[in-house]
Amino acid sequence: MSAAAREARSLDASSLSTGSVRVSRASGCWLFTEAGERFFDATGGSGAVNLGHQHPRVVAAIHRQADRLLHTGWNLRSTVRDALVEKLGHFSPYSPCGVLFTVTGAEGVEAALKIARAHTGRRTVVAFDRSYHGKTAGALAVTWRTDFRRFSPEAQEAPVRFIPYPLPEEGSDSDAVVRALEEVLAGAAAEGAPAAAVILEPVQAAEGFLPGGEPFLREVLRLARKHGAVSIFDEIIT
């Protein structure tokens, strides 16, 4: 069974063995079953609760907001959303910055790809070996694993070119990858299909924790700008 099929079945309750752990509550770094067994949560809810489960300040903030306003829709401004955009703007190199709130990482990647293609009027995307960007159609098309990518209709239609990601311990230094990126971008332009975007994870995490390093990332930005492509940094797992 492929990795993608195993992951799909993992979401089906009938496929889980009777011995699987099923949690009913959590506190701090601990997960608890209905029988009271305690397990250490080493993932922090896949990073979503990196302050710990039921952190009192987080819970209090949720309660405060739930008492005032839960949802308005994207086309109606709210005080809390405006405040969050302003805070995020402090971390952005752009002024004013643009913020799109999404539910999942794959949704963010999809939006970034659409923005890049709309902005440039191009289709080609350059991605990297060992990348992971999500499991919706567009995100799968720029994800490295073929057993995932084969489920994306867009992967068969959209031109995506994969190049190595720097791995110094395996002799793949960042200078060689930068040269490969330059060749791919120039080659795509020469073929009449210039790149709309270069998408990468600053630190790859699905195939091991692999940092690209600041010099490499700066070169990616430089080359993307040189060839008129948008740089997309997928920092969701990072």
Side-chain angles (χ1 to χ4, degrees):
M1 184 183 295
S2 71
R6 283 197 302 274
E7 183 158 346
R9 279 187 56 80
S10 73
L11 304 178
D12 178 4
S14 65
S15 70
L16 300 176
S17 69
T18 55
S20 295
V21 173
R22 186 172 72 169
V23 299
S24 60
R25 63 184 181 91
S27 178
C29 62
W30 300 103
L31 303 171
F32 298 88
T33 67
E34 290 178 304
E37 295 175 290
R38 186 177 73 164
F39 295 88
F40 176 71
D41 182 1
T43 72
S46 296
V49 286
N50 59 343
L51 297 180
H53 295 273
Q54 274 68 288
H55 190 289
R57 289 180 62 184
V58 174
V59 172
I62 292 171
H63 281 203
R64 278 196 308 274
Q65 190 58 42
D67 287 339
R68 298 177 63 183
L69 178 67
L70 278 177
H71 194 271
T72 60
W74 67 269
N75 55 350
L76 185 64
R77 293 177 61 186
S78 69
T79 53
V80 67
R81 185 160 48 195
D82 284 354
L84 179 54
V85 169
E86 184 177 353
K87 285 185 176 181
L88 291 173
H90 291 299
F91 301 99
S92 169
Y94 305 104
S95 181
C97 71
V99 177
L100 173 68
F101 294 106
T102 64
V103 176
T104 66
E107 188 182 357
V109 168
E110 295 275 357
L113 292 171
K114 290 173 185 173
I115 289 168
R117 285 169 169 154
H119 175 69
T120 62
R122 305 169 178 178
R123 293 284 297 163
T124 302
V125 175
V126 178
F128 288 81
D129 293 351
R130 291 173 299 281
S131 62
Y132 175 79
H133 296 293
K135 294 192 179 69
T136 53
L140 272 177
V142 293
T143 290
W144 176 61
R145 280 186 176 270
T146 53
D147 54 345
F148 287 156
R149 202 165 67 250
R150 67 189 177 92
F151 290 101
S152 168
E154 187 169 329
Q156 317 306 318
E157 302 165 3
V160 179
R161 304 186 181 212
F162 287 90
I163 65 172
Y165 193 87
L167 286 177
E169 69 277 10
E170 294 184 12
S172 171
D173 60 60
S174 59
D175 290 342
V177 175
V178 168
R179 288 193 296 271
L181 176 59
E182 174 76 273
E183 290 173 6
V184 167
L185 289 171
E191 294 167 13
V198 178
I199 183 169
L200 78 160
E201 299 151 280
V203 180
Q204 291 191 332
E207 305 289 330
F209 294 99
L210 310 169
E214 184 176 340
F216 166 68
L217 298 178
R218 288 190 181 279
E219 283 298 292
V220 170
L221 290 172
R222 182 184 68 81
L223 288 174
R225 290 192 187 106
K226 175 182 174 181
H227 290 272
V230 174
S231 298
I232 301 173
F233 279 15
D234 176 352
E235 298 183 312
I236 295 155
I237 301 181
T238 304

